[in-house]
Amino acid sequence: TRESSQDGSEGNLMAKVLVVCEQRSGKLKRASLEIVGALAKSGGHEITALLIGSGVSSLASELGNYGAKKVLLADDPKLADYTGEAYS
């Protein structure tokens, strides 16, 4: 989705990007951090990270440090181990 600036011009477009981040055993996967960081460095993106698991709320600040503007958490003990059914 793209938004134009408040004056209606298209000179300041911002792409909204959702990054589904992976973690294992309470640590963010390097690929997740790299994509959030690369998008942040390239500019022009409003990055929202989605993090799924159990006990993952403490990882939100790390994603923010890499450039995520928002972090959405799905934090539940039922999500401790990855299963396609639980994560979908």
Side-chain angles (χ1 to χ4, degrees), residues 22-29 52 54-56 59 80-81 87:
E22 288 186 79
Q23 62 81 30
R24 292 292 180 267
S25 303
K27 293 185 180 180
L28 287 162
K29 300 291 273 184
I52 302 170
S54 178
V56 295
L59 302 176
D81 297 315
Y87 275 53

Side-chain angles (χ1 to χ4, degrees), residues 1-63:
T1 307
R2 295 212 181 254
E3 293 180 357
S4 61
S5 64
Q6 289 182 347
D7 66 1
S9 72
E10 294 184 20
N12 186 17
L13 295 178
M14 174 78 58
K16 292 183 178 184
V17 180
L18 175 66
V19 179
V20 179
C21 298
E22 288 186 79
Q23 62 81 30
R24 292 292 180 267
S25 303
K27 293 185 180 180
L28 287 162
K29 300 291 273 184
R30 182 182 317 159
S32 295
L33 295 173
E34 287 175 353
I35 191 67
V36 170
L39 287 166
K41 286 181 184 176
S42 69
H45 299 93
E46 182 181 309
I47 305 161
T48 299
L50 171 62
L51 187 56
I52 302 170
S54 178
V56 295
S57 61
S58 63
L59 302 176
S61 62
E62 188 172 359
L63 288 165

